[in-house]
Amino acid sequence: MENRELTGKFYDIQGFSVHDGPGIRLTLFMKGCPLRCPWCHSPESQAFPSELNWMEIKCVGIEKCGNCLNVCPQDAITPGKMKKTPAGDEEITLVTVDRSRCDNCGKCAEACTSKALYMCGTDYTIDDIMERVRRDIPFFKKSGGGVTVSGGECLCQPEFLLEILKTCKAEGIHTAVDTTGFAKWDVIEPILPYTDLFLLDLKGVDPQLHKRIIGVSNELILENAKKMVAAGAKFQIRIPVIPLYNDSVKAFNEMGEFIKELGDAVEVVQLLPYHSLGTVKWERLQKNAPILEATPPSDELMQARKKQLEDMGLSVIIH
Ligand code: SF4
Ligand code: SF4
């Protein structure tokens, strides 16, 4: 029986995903994450509450619109800088959001028909989610796909996550959970019987370095991975390849050794090269992106690290 009271907060839902598990998948991105990876390309996933985003390019200017100016209970929105229109024949006045006053109530986003101001983070009930999931069942059946619950860190909304997984399994839908593995065992254990596959991030094995760069130690993550294997979980391991952090031969040897300890539970290792496409998303939140002195790794480096892990007996793909 579906729980009609419970809600989960999501920042995105993407159909036709082909990199989040087998076949064609519906990927559900839950909001909120306890880690702070400086290379995060989905900064809108980090905070737990819904947040106001600002996409300057969509604002048509207060001369033609100005709908947002008088709706803010906090008086956080005022006329801002001038800007030439893309055609360059007109000047418009944008708005400024004073983030120190904004409490993310969303009233301005409701008023902004251009979607220059929009909220990120939507609450769904299980019925809402399953209604969306069921639309894609024909694609799942044709391709051997299913549902992947991702984030943020979906283990931070454990009740809703468990309910989605249970409901999907009851309807014969393949389930995957994309996770950092950073959660109490009490949260992970209940979802094991309803999760066909875990997509587990592995960002490094050195606990001090992990804590210094990401904000939390990885000891809990590594311990959870071993316990999950003992409980019969299946894995795809995802390694974000970050220059100057975890791209060295030494770091890959350490990660390879750890993955080998997980044995046959690991179907494949995916290498995800760092990219800087998330920068624009930090701008929309009007937050400073963390300083990360990294450029995307070269093809040669990616191939070398792939071969390094393959030489250790692992099956590896590059995304
Ligand atoms: S989200 Fe609410 S508080 Fe923030 S700027 Fe918009 S109307 Fe004002
Ligand atoms: S409501 Fe939207 S489009 Fe209109 S002035 Fe405000 S931000 Fe710009």
Side-chain angles (χ1 to χ4, degrees), residues 162-235:
L162 178 60
E163 209 55 38
I164 298 173
L165 297 171
K166 269 187 181 173
T167 314
C168 285
K169 287 314 300 171
E171 299 190 18
I173 298 168
H174 182 276
T175 56
V177 169
D178 177 14
T179 177
T180 65
F182 187 77
K184 289 183 183 161
W185 183 246
D186 293 359
V187 166
I188 295 174
E189 194 174 26
I191 68 168
L192 291 170
Y194 308 103
T195 308
D196 295 312
L197 177 69
F198 285 91
L199 311 175
L200 181 73
D201 294 350
L202 181 63
K203 304 167 204 295
V205 169
D206 179 335
Q208 271 84 36
L209 184 62
H210 201 279
K211 184 160 178 36
R212 183 155 55 81
I213 302 294
I214 297 171
V216 301
S217 168
N218 59 2
E219 283 159 317
L220 179 64
I221 296 168
L222 304 182
E223 187 191 322
N224 279 339
K226 289 180 189 167
K227 284 161 94 170
M228 289 158 81
V229 168
K234 292 286 172 210
F235 290 98

Side-chain angles (χ1 to χ4, degrees), residues 52 71-74 76-77 97 102-108 119:
L52 181 67
V71 296
C72 177
Q74 308 297 334
I77 302 190
V97 180
C102 171
D103 65 2
N104 292 303
C105 76
K107 287 199 163 48
C108 58
M119 295 301 288

Side-chain angles (χ1 to χ4, degrees), residues 18-36:
V18 290
H19 295 305
D20 294 328
I24 295 173
R25 310 198 67 83
L26 182 72
T27 305
L28 311 171
F29 294 92
M30 299 194 86
K31 195 151 160 51
C33 182
L35 276 59
R36 288 294 175 264

